C-alpha cells in the first residue's frame, strides 16, 4: 500500500474543554488527536509555549496512545488564561482552544494570596514594573538557630515614598509578625527573620510583592534539622502541637510525630501544660502514650494554658516541642461570643452565672456518643439538655461492662462542667456502655440514653506503607521523589522521606515536617553520589512501615529538551534561498545540543501559511541556507533545537522576510557571536564572518561596544584599525559593568551592517576562575594544563588553537583525567606558535587561553632541554679545607641526589680509589661528598675532579691546586700539623695580648689549654722574671697580669712560658715603641670615650670650658679649638688639668671670644671631639655671670673686716685700766663704731676709742668699774659691706673674789 495514501493532517477527535476551578485546586485539560505521521503536540498559554522545566512541579505534560493532557497544579490567579493545544505533522497543523478560570472562596481572602490588580491606577496614572533579584535559595537550618531570608526588589519607576505591599507566606499560608518571625522592608530589600527555628518553620516560603498594577512572587524551600539531642540516642522533638475542642475543664492536645527516632522506636509521648503567667510546667500523663492525641482534663475554668510534648525512647527523653498557642478553659459558646466583640483580648476570663431558677432539676443529656476510643482512653461527648433552667449544670458519667446492668459512677467526687469527658484506666479488650446524668443544686437528673457497647482499643490504625517510590533527576543537588499513597489510610497526616547514599546503609530524613502530597523535592544532596529513597506515612496512631527502597539514582541535573532558539536573522538572500542565523537556547536541557531543525512558511497578504520542514537532517551550525524559495515572496521561519532528550519546542516565528537577491556592495553582518574568557577587565569575542561578502572579499572587522543599559547612540568602536582574525581580546572593560558587543565587516566598498548584539556580559572574575598553566615534566615534555572544579557529569574540555578546535593530534595530544586536562606538544616548533584556549562545556563559561609567542617557545625549549638532559644541581662547587692534624678535605654538596647516585674521584685524569691515602665518603641524606688526605706531598699538585651521576642526570666539579695556591695550602697544612702536635702538651689557646678596661687598667692575658696541676706559668719582662703577686691569676685556663696606672716605665717585651713534663709553650708580647704606643692610644681612646660633654662655667676671672674624664694620664694629648682652629695659648687664654677635669680658661672675655669651641682627644686614630657653642644667649648668660662673680669678688676683697685681736671674754679687776686693739681692713677705709649692749659708745675720759692709719682700732677703759661689765661690739662698715666682732667684759672686785 502507498504510504502517501495513509498520511493525513492532524485532527482533534476529542477537544479540551474549558474549566472553572477554585484556587489551589488542580485542573487537567485532555484531548485526543489523530493523524499520520503521529502529530507533535505543543501546549500554549496565551500563545506562549508552556515549558514544564521553567516551573518544575507546576505543569505536567503527558502523552499516551494519542491522548494528550496538560495538568496545572495548585492553580492561582495567574493561571486564568486561554490555553491552546497545537498538533503538527508533515501534512499540516491544527489548533484548538480552552479557557481556565480560577476563582476564590468567599471569606478566605485574608488567608490566601491576594488577587492581582491589573490596569492603570487612577491615583498614580502609571504602571509599575516589579523585579525580585538576588533572592534567597534553598536554605538549611537547625532548631534553635536564627535564619534570615531576603531578596532585593526593584520597582520602576522608582517613587521615593511609594510603599508596595510586602507579604510572606509559608506553604501558601500568610505569615503574621510574631515572636517567631519578624519582617522588615528597607525600601529595596524585603527580609524575613525566623528568630528561633523549629521544625514547624520548615516549608515553602514565598515572598509576594504587590504594587497597584501587578504582583511578583519568589519562592524557595527552607529545611529545619533537629537540634542535637540532650541525651545521645534520644528522639527528635514532636512538632505542630495544637489544641482542639477546648471546653471549661478539658482540651484535646494533638501533635505530629518526629521524623527522627534516635535509632530506637519511640515508646510514647508526655504532654506538659503551663498556666499562662507562670513558668511552671506540669506533666499531664503519668505513662507515655503512643497516640498523637491526648485529652487533658482537670483544667480550671477561666484560666489560660499552653502545652508542649516530649517524645521518649529507651535512650531518653527528647527536647520539648515548640509550645502551643494559648488556649482558654471556657465554654465554647462564651468563646464564640467573645470573638464576636471588638474588645481586645486581655488574657483574663470573667465567668458569670445568671441567677438560678429554684427547684428545676435538669433533664437528660442528648446525643451521647463515643467521640474517640484508644487503648489508653475513651472520650465521650454529648449535648446539654433542653430543660436546665437558668442555673449552670454539671455532669456525672457512669459506665458498665457490656452484658451487665451494673452501672458505676466514674467521677464520684467532682462533677464535670464540660460536655466532654475522657475515661482512663479502662481494661483493654473489654466492652463498655456509658451514660451521663445532669445535676445542679436542685438534684441529679435522669440518665441519658446509654451508648452502644464500645470495646477499648485503638480504632485508628497505623497507615500502611506507601507504594512504589520513584526518584527522578532534578538539579545537581536535588532529586524529585514521588510515590504511591498509602492505601486506605485514615486521618493521614503526611509523609516522611528518607535518603541513603548507596552502600552506607544509613538513612537520613529529607524533611522534618510531614508533607501531604505524594511528590517531594529532596534538596541538599551531594552531586555525583548515588542515593536510594524510602517513604513513611503517619497519622495520629503512629508511623507506618517504610516503603520499599527506590532504585538508586545518581544526583545530577535532569536532562530535558532544549528551550527554543531565538534571535532569528538573515545573513544572505538570493533569488531562491535565504541564509538564516539564530542564537543558542538559553537552556540546553543539561545535554549537548545535537542539532537544529528549521521550518518555514509563506506569508500571503499578512496571513501565515502552513509550516514546512527546511531540513530533515539536523544541522549543527547556528546558520542554515533555506532553499527552494520563491523570489519576491514573504516568509517566516522558526527553529527547534534538539539534544539527546529530544527535539525542543520551536522558537517564536521570526519577522517576515522578503526573498529578494541582495545587491549591496558592502558585506552582510557577521554572525554567531560568542563571548568567552570573561574576566574583571578583559574578555574574548569570537564571531563568524558574513555569509554575504558583497562586491569584494571581506578584508577586516570592527568591534563595537556599549554598556548594556545605554542608548543606541552609545555604541563605540574598540579597534581603530580593522582586524583580520575572527576573534579579538577586548581589554577596556571596567569591573562590575555590563556590556554588549557587535561586529561589522568591511571590504573595499566599505563597512557593512552590524551583527546582532551579544547578550549582556558582566565584567567580573568569577570565584574559582583558573588559568592555563604551562608545565614541563622531568622528561622535557611541554604541556598546557587547565583545571576546572565546577564540572558537571556531561562536561568536556575543548582545546583550540587560534580559537579553532584541535581535532588533528599530529602536533598536539590532549589528555583529560577528572577535573584536569592537558594539551601536550608532540614536537614543539615554530608551527606551534599561536593562541591556545581551553573551554569546558556545561559550565558557567569556564575558559582560559595562553599565547605561545616565539620568545616564549624559545624559553620553553631551553627548559625542556635541561629536563631532557638534566644536571645534578650543586649547592656548592668542589672546595678544599684543612682539618685537624693538617688533613686536607675536598668536598662539595649536591642540592638533590638520590641514594643511587654514583661518584667518581679523579686526579689529573686518573681515577682515585679508597685506600690509605684517600678516604672517600658520600652522605646520601645531606648530599655531601668528600675526600680526605692526611697531608699534601709535592706529587699532589694538580687538578682534582668529582664526577656525579644519578640516573641520567650528571654533573662534575673540579678544583685546580697548582703553583702558589698549592704551596700556600701545603704550608698551611704543615702548620696545622705542627699546631696539633704543640697542643698535645700545655699550650696557648689564645696567645698573649693586652686589654685596656674602661677604667684604663691594662691587663696582659692569655688563654691556655691542656693544663694540669703540675703545669707552671712564668712571666718575664725584658728577660727578667716578674715575681708573682696578687695581680697574677691562673684559673680556668686564663692567665692575667694587671698593670695599674701604666706609664713609660712599663714599656718592654713581655713573655710567658707554660711547661710541665709533656712539654712547654711560649707566648711573647712586644710592648715597646709602636706596640706601647698602640696600647696607650687604646687607653687614650677609653679616656676620650669617658669624657663628658663640654660645659661652660663662669668665674670671677672670666669663662671656663671644661670636661671630666674617668681617668687622666699625663701622656694624654688634647688640643683645644676655637672656630675649628687650634688655640694659641696666652696669659689670657690658658688650659690645664685639675684631677680628672680638663679646662680652658678665658680671662676677661670679649666679643672676639664668641664661637664654637672643641676639645680633641688624640688616640692615634680618628680621635674624638667634644664641642660647645659659646655664642648668642649662652655667651650672654656666661658673660653676665662672669661680671656678677667679678663684682662679687671685688666686693669680697674690699669690704670692711675685723681682722682679729679681740678676745671673746675679758675678765678684769675693778679699778684697773683695759686696752683692746684689733686690725681693721677695707677699701675705702671703713667707719668704726663701738657698742655696749647694742648701744653706741661715745669717746670720753672713761672710754677712749681710736682708729689710726685706717688699720688699727683701739678701745681703752681708763678705770674699770663694775658698771663696765657687759657685751661689747665693734662694727666696721664701708660701701662693700659691714662686719662686727663681739667680746664680753666681766669686772670683779677684789673683795668679792675673796
Amino acid at each position: 500500500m502507498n504510504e502517501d495514501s495513509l498520511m493525513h493532517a492532524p485532527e482533534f477527535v476529542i477537544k479540551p474543554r474549558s474549566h472553572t476551578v477554585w484556587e489551589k485546586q488542580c485542573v487537567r485539560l485532555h484531548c485526543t488527536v489523530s493523524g499520520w505521521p503521529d502529530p507533535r503536540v505543543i501546549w500554549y498559554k496565551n500563545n506562549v509555549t508552556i515549558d514544564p522545566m521553567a516551573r518544575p512541579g507546576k505543569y505536567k505534560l503527558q502523552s499516551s496512545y494519542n491522548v494528550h493532557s496538560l495538568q496545572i497544579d495548585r492553580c492561582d490567579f495567574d493561571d486564568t488564561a486561554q490555553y491552546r493545544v497545537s498538533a503538527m505533522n508533515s501534512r499540516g497543523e491544527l489548533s484548538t482552544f480552552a479557557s481556565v478560570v480560577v476563582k476564590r472562596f468567599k471569606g478566605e481572602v485574608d488567608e490566601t494570596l491576594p488577587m492581582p490588580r491589573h490596569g492603570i491606577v487612577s491615583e498614580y496614572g502609571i504602571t509599575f514594573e516589579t523585579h525580585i533579584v538576588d533572592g534567597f535559595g534553598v536554605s538549611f537550618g537547625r532548631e534553635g538557630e536564627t535564619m534570615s531570608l531576603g531578596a532585593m526588589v526593584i520597582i520602576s519607576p522608582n517613587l521615593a515614598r511609594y510603599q508596595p505591599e510586602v507579604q510572606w507566606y509559608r506553604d501558601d499560608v500568610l505569615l503574621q509578625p510574631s515572636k517567631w518571625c519578624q519582617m522588615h522592608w528597607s525600601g529595596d530589600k524585603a527580609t524575613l527573620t525566623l528568630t528561633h527555628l523549629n521544625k514547624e518553620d520548615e516549608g515553602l516560603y514565598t515572598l509576594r510583592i504587590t504594587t497597584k498594577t501587578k504582583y511578583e512572587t519568589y519562592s524557595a524551600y527552607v529545611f529545619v534539622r533537629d537540634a542535637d539531642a540532650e541525651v545521645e540516642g534520644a528522639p527528635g522533638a514532636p512538632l505542630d502541637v495544637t489544641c482542639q475542642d477546648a471546653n471549661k475543664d478539658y482540651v484535646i492536645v494533638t501533635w505530629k510525630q518526629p521524623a527522627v527516632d534516635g535509632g530506637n522506636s519511640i515508646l510514647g509521648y508526655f504532654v506538659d501544660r503551663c498556666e499562662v503567667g507562670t513558668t511552671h510546667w506540669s506533666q499531664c500523663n503519668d505513662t507515655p502514650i503512643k497516640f498523637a492525641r491526648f485529652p487533658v482534663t482537670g483544667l480550671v475554668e477561666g484560666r489560660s494554658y499552653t502545652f508542649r510534648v516530649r517524645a521518649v525512647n529507651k535512650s531518653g527523653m527528647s527536647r520539648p516541642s515548640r509550645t502551643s498557642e494559648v488556649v482558654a478553659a471556657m465554654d465554647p459558646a462564651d468563646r464564640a461570643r467573645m470573638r464576636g466583640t471588638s474588645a481586645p483580648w486581655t488574657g483574663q476570663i470573667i465567668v458569670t452565672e445568671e441567677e438560678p431558677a429554684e427547684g428545676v432539676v435538669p433533664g437528660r443529656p442528648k446525643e451521647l456518643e463515643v467521640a474517640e476510643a484508644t487503648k489508653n482512653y475513651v472520650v465521650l461527648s454529648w449535648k446539654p439538655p433542653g430543660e436546665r433552667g437558668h442555673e449552670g449544670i454539671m455532669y456525672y458519667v457512669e459506665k458498665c461492662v457490656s452484658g451487665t446492668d451494673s452501672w458505676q459512677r466514674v467521677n464520684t467526687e467532682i462533677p464535670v462542667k464540660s460536655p466532654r469527658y475522657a475515661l482512663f484506666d479502662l481494661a483493654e479488650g473489654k466492652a463498655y456502655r456509658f451514660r451521663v446524668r445532669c445535676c445542679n443544686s436542685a438534684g441529679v437528673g435522669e440518665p441519658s440514653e446509654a451508648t452502644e457497647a464500645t470495646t477499648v482499643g485503638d480504632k485508628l490504625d497505623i497507615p500502611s506503607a506507601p507504594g512504589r517510590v520513584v526518584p527522578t533527576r532534578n538539579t545537581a543537588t536535588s532529586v524529585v521523589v514521588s510515590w504511591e499513597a498509602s492505601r486506605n489510610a485514615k486521618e493521614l497526616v503526611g509523609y516522611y522521606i528518607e535518603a541513603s547514599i548507596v552502600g552506607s546503609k544509613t538513612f537520613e530524613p529529607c524533611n522534618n515536617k510531614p508533607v501531604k502530597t505524594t511528590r517531594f523535592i529532596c534538596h541538599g544532596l551531594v552531586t555525583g553520589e548515588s542515593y536510594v529513597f524510602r517513604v513513611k506515612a503517619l497519622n495520629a496512631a503512629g508511623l507506618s512501615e517504610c516503603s520499599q527502597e527506590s532504585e538508586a539514582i545518581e544526583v545530577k541535573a535532569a536532562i530535558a529538551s532544549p528551550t527554543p532558539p531565538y534571535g532569528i536573522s538573515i545573513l544572505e538572500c538570493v533569488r531562491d534561498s535565504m541564509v538564516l542565523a539564530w542564537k543558542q537556547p538559553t537552556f540546553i536541557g543539561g545535554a549537548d545540543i545535537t542539532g537544529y531543525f528549521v521550518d518555514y512558511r509563506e506569508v500571503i497578504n499578512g496571513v501565515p501559511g502552513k509550516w514546512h520542514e527546511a531540513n530533515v537532517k539536523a544541522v549543527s551550525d547556528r546558520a542554515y541556507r533555506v532553499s527552494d524559495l520563491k523570489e519576491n515572496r514573504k516568509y517566516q521561519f522558526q527553529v527547534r533545537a534538539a539534544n539527546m532528550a529530544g527535539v525542543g519546542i520551536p522558537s517564536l516565528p521570526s519577522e517576515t522576510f522578503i526573498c529578494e537577491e541582495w545587491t549591496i556592495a558592502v558585506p552582510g553582518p557577521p554572525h554567531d557571536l560568542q563571548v568567552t574568557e570573561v574576566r574583571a577587565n578583559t574578555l574574548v569575542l569570537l564571531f563568524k564572518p558574513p555569509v554575504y561578502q558583497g562586491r569584494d572579499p571581506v578584508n577586516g572587522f570592527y568591534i563595537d561596544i556599549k554598556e548594556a543599559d545605554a542608548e543606541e547612540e552609545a555604541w563605540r568602536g574598540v579597534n581603530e584599525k580593522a582586524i583580520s582574525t575572527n576573534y579579538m581580546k577586548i581589554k577596556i572593560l571596567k569591573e562590575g559593568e555590563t556590556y554588549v558587543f557587535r561586529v561589522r565587516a568591511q571590504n573595499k566598498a566599505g563597512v557593512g551592517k552590524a551583527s546582532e548584539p551579544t547578550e549582556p556580559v558582566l565584567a567580573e572574575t568569577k570565584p574559582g576562575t583558573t588559568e592555563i598553566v604551562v608545565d614541563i615534566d622531568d622528561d622535557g615534555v611541554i604541556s598546557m594544563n587547565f583545571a576546572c572544579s565546577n564540572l558537571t557529569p556531561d562536561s568536556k574540555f575543548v582545546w583550540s588553537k587560534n580559537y579553532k578546535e584541535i581535532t588533528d593530534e599530529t602536533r598536539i595530544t590532549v589528555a583529560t583525567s577528572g577535573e584536569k586536562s592537558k594539551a601536550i606538544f608532540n614536537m614543539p616548533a615554530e608551527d606551534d606558535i599561536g593562541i591556545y584556549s581551553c573551554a569546558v562545556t556545561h559550565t558557567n563559561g569556564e575558559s582560559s587561553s595562553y599565547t605561545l609567542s616565539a620568545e616564549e617557545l624559545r624559553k620553553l625549549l631551553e627548559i625542556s632541554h635541561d629536563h631532557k638532559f638534566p644536571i645534578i644541581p650543586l649547592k656548592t662547587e668542589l672546595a678544599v679545607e684543612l682539618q685537624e692534624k693538617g688533613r686536607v678535605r675536598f668536598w662539595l654538596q649536591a642540592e638533590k641526589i638520590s641514594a643511587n647516585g654514583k661518584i667518581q674521584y679523579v686526579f689529573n685524569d686518573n681515577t682515585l680509589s679508597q685506600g690509605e691515602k684517600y678516604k672517600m665518603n658520600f652522605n646520601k641524606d645531606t648530599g655531601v661528598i668528600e675526600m680526605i688526605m692526611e697531608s699534601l706531598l709535592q706529587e699532589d699538585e694538580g687538578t682534582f675532579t668529582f664526577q656525579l651521576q644519578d640516573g641520567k642526570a650528571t654533573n662534575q666539579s673540579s678544583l685546580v691546586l697548582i703553583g702558589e695556591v698549592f704551596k700556600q695550602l701545603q704550608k698551611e697544612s704543615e702548620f696545622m700539623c705542627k699546631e696539633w702536635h704543640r697542643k698535645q702538651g700545655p699550650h696557648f689557646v689564645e696567645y698573649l695580648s693586652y686589654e685596656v678596661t674602661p677604667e684604663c687598667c691594662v691587663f696582659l692575658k692569655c688563654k691556655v689549654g691542656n693544663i694540669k696541676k703540675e703545669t707552671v706559668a712564668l712571666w718575664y719582662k725584658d728577660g727578667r722574671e716578674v715575681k708573682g703577686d696578687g695581680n697574677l691569676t691562673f684559673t680556668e685556663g686564663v692567665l692575667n697580669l694587671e698593670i695599674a696606672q701604666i706609664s713609660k716605665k712599663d714599656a718592654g717585651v713581655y713573655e710567658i712560658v707554660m711547661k710541665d713534663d709533656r712539654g712547654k709553650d711560649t707566648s711573647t708580647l712586644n710592648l715597646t715603641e709602636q706596640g706601647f704606643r698602640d696600647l696607650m692610644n687604646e687607653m687614650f681612646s677609653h679616656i676620650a670615650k669617658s669624657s663628658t660633654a663640654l660645659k661652660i662655667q663662669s668665674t670671677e676671672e672670666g669663662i671656663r670650658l671644661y670636661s671630666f674624664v674617668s681617668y687622666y694620664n699625663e701622656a694624654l694629648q688634647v688640643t683645644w679649638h676655637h672656630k675649628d682652629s687650634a688655640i694659641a695659648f696666652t696669659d689670657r687664654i690658658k688650659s690645664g688639668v685639675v684631677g680628672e677635669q680638663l679646662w680652658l680658661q678665658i680671662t676677661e672675655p670679649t666679643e672676639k671670644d664668641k664661637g664654637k669651641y672643641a676639645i680633641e682627644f688624640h688616640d692615634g686614630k680618628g680621635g674624638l671631639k667634644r664641642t660647645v657653642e659659646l655664642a648668642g644667649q649662652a655667651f650672654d648668660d656666661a658673660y653676665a655671670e662672669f661680671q656678677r662673680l667679678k663684682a662679687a669678688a671685688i666686693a669680697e676683697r674690699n669690704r670692711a673686716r675685723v681682722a682679729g685681736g679681740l678676745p671673746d671674754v675679758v675678765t678684769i679687776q675693778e679699778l684697773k685700766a683695759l686696752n683692746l686693739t684689733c686690725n681693721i681692713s677695707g677699701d675705702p677705709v671703713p667707719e668704726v663704731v663701738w657698742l655696749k649692749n647694742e648701744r653706741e659708745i661715745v669717746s670720753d675720759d672713761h672710754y677712749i676709742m681710736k682708729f689710726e692709719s685706717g688699720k688699727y682700732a683701739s678701745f681703752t677703759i681708763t678705770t674699770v668699774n663694775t658698771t663696765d661689765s657687759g657685751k661689747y661690739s665693734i662694727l666696721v662698715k664701708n660701701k662693700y659691706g659691714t662686719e662686727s666682732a663681739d667680746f664680753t667684759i666681766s669686772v670683779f672686785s677684789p673683795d668679792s673674789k675673796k
Side-chain angles (χ1 to χ4, degrees), residues 1118 1120 1129-1130 1133-1137 1142-1145:
V1118 297
W1120 289 89
F1129 297 109
T1130 63
I1133 300 178
K1134 301 176 181 180
S1135 67
V1137 179
L1142 285 74
W1143 53 263
L1144 175 72
Q1145 181 69 40

Side-chain angles (χ1 to χ4, degrees), residues 514-678:
V515 295
K516 294 185 177 180
T517 60
T518 57
R519 181 179 180 274
F520 187 73
I521 301 176
C522 299
H523 288 274
L525 307 179
V526 180
T527 305
E529 290 283 4
S530 294
Y531 287 82
V532 293
F533 299 87
R534 67 187 187 189
V535 184
K536 294 185 287 187
L538 74 153
N539 61 9
L543 275 72
S544 72
E545 296 293 328
C546 294
S547 67
Q548 293 292 323
E549 293 180 6
S550 69
E551 294 182 358
I553 185 171
E554 183 182 356
V555 179
K556 63 179 181 179
I559 298 176
S561 56
T563 56
Y566 63 101
I568 299 175
S569 60
I570 299 296
L571 301 180
E572 184 186 40
C573 186
V574 295
R575 295 178 183 177
D576 59 351
S577 66
M578 302 172 77
V579 178
L580 305 178
W582 56 88
K583 294 182 179 179
Q584 179 176 292
T586 55
F587 175 69
I588 64 174
D592 291 331
I593 291 180
T594 56
Y596 297 91
F597 295 92
V598 180
D599 300 332
Y600 68 94
R601 65 182 178 187
E602 188 175 353
V603 179
I604 302 175
N605 297 326
V607 179
K610 294 185 177 180
W611 288 105
H612 301 280
E613 293 181 350
N615 60 314
V616 177
K617 185 178 179 180
V619 295
S620 58
D621 290 334
R622 286 190 289 277
Y624 181 70
R625 182 181 295 277
V626 180
S627 304
D628 298 330
L629 303 179
K630 296 179 181 179
E631 190 174 8
N632 296 324
R633 299 288 182 91
K634 296 181 178 179
Y635 292 92
Q636 286 182 339
F637 303 91
Q638 68 179 16
V639 183
R640 294 165 291 161
N643 62 10
M644 62 184 297
V647 180
I649 57 178
S651 65
L652 294 175
S654 69
E655 299 177 19
T656 301
F657 301 108
I658 301 176
C659 183
E660 58 183 4
E661 187 164 3
W662 288 0
T663 58
I664 56 176
V666 296
H671 66 102
D672 199 11
L673 276 65
Q674 298 181 55
V675 173
T676 185
E677 301 174 31
V678 180

Side-chain angles (χ1 to χ4, degrees), residues 117-128 159 162-163 211-213:
R117 289 164 280 185
H118 302 282
I120 304 300
V121 181
S122 59
E123 60 263 41
Y124 290 104
I126 55 177
T127 301
F128 290 97
L159 300 182
Y162 179 67
Q163 174 77 37
T211 62
K212 296 294 183 181
T213 54

Side-chain angles (χ1 to χ4, degrees), residues 976-993:
M976 291 185 68
C977 182
K978 293 177 181 178
E979 278 291 291
W980 183 85
H981 288 289
R982 178 180 70 84
K983 292 179 181 180
Q984 302 311 301
H987 63 276
F988 291 97
V989 177
E990 294 177 5
Y991 287 99
L992 192 59
S993 63

Side-chain angles (χ1 to χ4, degrees), residues 768-772 785-789 797 819-821 840 846:
T769 299
T770 57
E771 304 295 344
I772 291 177
N785 300 264
F786 187 62
C788 175
S789 60
F797 290 86
E819 297 180 348
K820 298 179 180 179
S821 181
V840 186
E846 298 284 346

Side-chain angles (χ1 to χ4, degrees), residues 12 15-18 29-30 43-44 46-47 81-86 94-100:
F12 285 94
K15 297 182 178 181
R17 62 182 181 85
S18 298
L29 305 179
H30 300 270
W43 292 86
Y44 298 85
N46 291 336
N47 292 324
Q82 185 182 64
Y83 291 83
R84 174 167 67 94
V85 57
S86 174
L94 187 63
S95 298
T96 185
F97 298 86
S99 297
V100 173

Side-chain angles (χ1 to χ4, degrees), residues 879-891:
V880 64
E881 66 181 18
L882 297 178
Q883 295 182 325
E884 191 180 39
K885 282 189 177 182
R887 292 190 183 96
V888 183
R889 177 179 180 249
F890 297 88
W891 71 281

Side-chain angles (χ1 to χ4, degrees), residues 1173-1229:
E1173 192 73 31
L1174 184 61
Q1177 189 64 39
F1179 180 83
D1180 294 343
D1181 292 345
Y1183 188 81
E1185 179 66 10
F1186 152 65
Q1187 292 291 349
R1188 187 189 68 79
L1189 293 175
K1190 179 180 177 182
I1194 293 173
E1196 182 65 22
R1197 285 195 303 271
N1198 296 329
R1199 71 178 176 84
R1201 299 173 184 272
V1202 179
L1206 293 178
D1208 293 333
V1209 177
V1210 177
T1211 303
I1212 187 169
Q1213 186 176 346
E1214 190 178 13
L1215 302 179
K1216 295 285 186 179
L1218 175 65
N1219 181 262
L1220 298 177
T1221 304
C1222 63
N1223 296 326
I1224 302 300
S1225 64
D1227 185 14
V1229 176

